[in-house]
Amino acid sequence: MPRRFLMLSIVFVAILAATGTAFYLYRPNAARLVSFRQWIRNPASRPDWKLDAGSQCGSAPFLFPTDGFVGFLWGDSFRPGHTHQGIDIFGGTDVGITQVVAAYPGYLSRLPDWKSTVIVRVPSDPLNPGKQIWLYYTHMADQFGNSFISDEFPAGTIEEYIEAGTFLGYQGDYSGDPNNPTGIHLHFSIVEDDGNGQFKNELEIENTLDPSPYLGLPLNAYDNRDQIPLCPSD
């Protein structure tokens, strides 16, 4: 009996330790979430928290792809077992109002069944020359799947060359479930190439790169979970 009690005690302590570790790793980004809620309630109250579409942080290679507050970063975790694969930018407006532009030149495709998404092939990663990457822009539709993507890029578009700053569409809240829309924002990811000229599954964080250095943002979710991501000079 004492031996069984000892074993149960060890298991209990291990569970507590694992729970504590999980809480630390997946804890909410408290201060940033408070700021995010304030921004969503009244964006006009903090214009200094907004980054502008088409702007550039110093010598960063990418333009900022839309207006808004960077609410969620690459590496943020909303629950155990899930890690955010890009950045979410909230314009603080209704759907179909806040423009989305191309962050970098490349070859745009939109699969036939994509209502809210385009992806842009970049043949040479500006931070890792010679390595191909893909830029993924999504949530550009309303909750019912009415697309806000530019008419220049109808479903089925394949490998159309675009310049940085090209108008792509507007922020929306499409999630695939009309009864459970997302908040109105742009999700922007950098997806790795699979080595055969195709993009990997964007839903897996190990297939993506942190956009922060490409945008010139000094912070990411691992370095500082609480501060608001802004250009270094801001």
Side-chain angles (χ1 to χ4, degrees), residues 14 26 67 84-85 99 125 127 148 158 164 204 217 225-226:
Y26 299 103
D67 287 344
H84 196 227
Q85 324 92 309
Q99 291 195 4
D125 180 340
L127 296 186
F148 297 136
I158 299 295
E204 304 295 334
L217 301 178
R225 295 170 181 268
D226 297 329

Side-chain angles (χ1 to χ4, degrees), residues 53-54 63-66 99-104 137 164-169 186:
L63 303 181
F64 201 68
T66 190
Q99 291 195 4
V100 175
V101 302
Y104 198 75
Y137 307 76
T166 298
F167 170 67
L168 301 181
L186 172 73

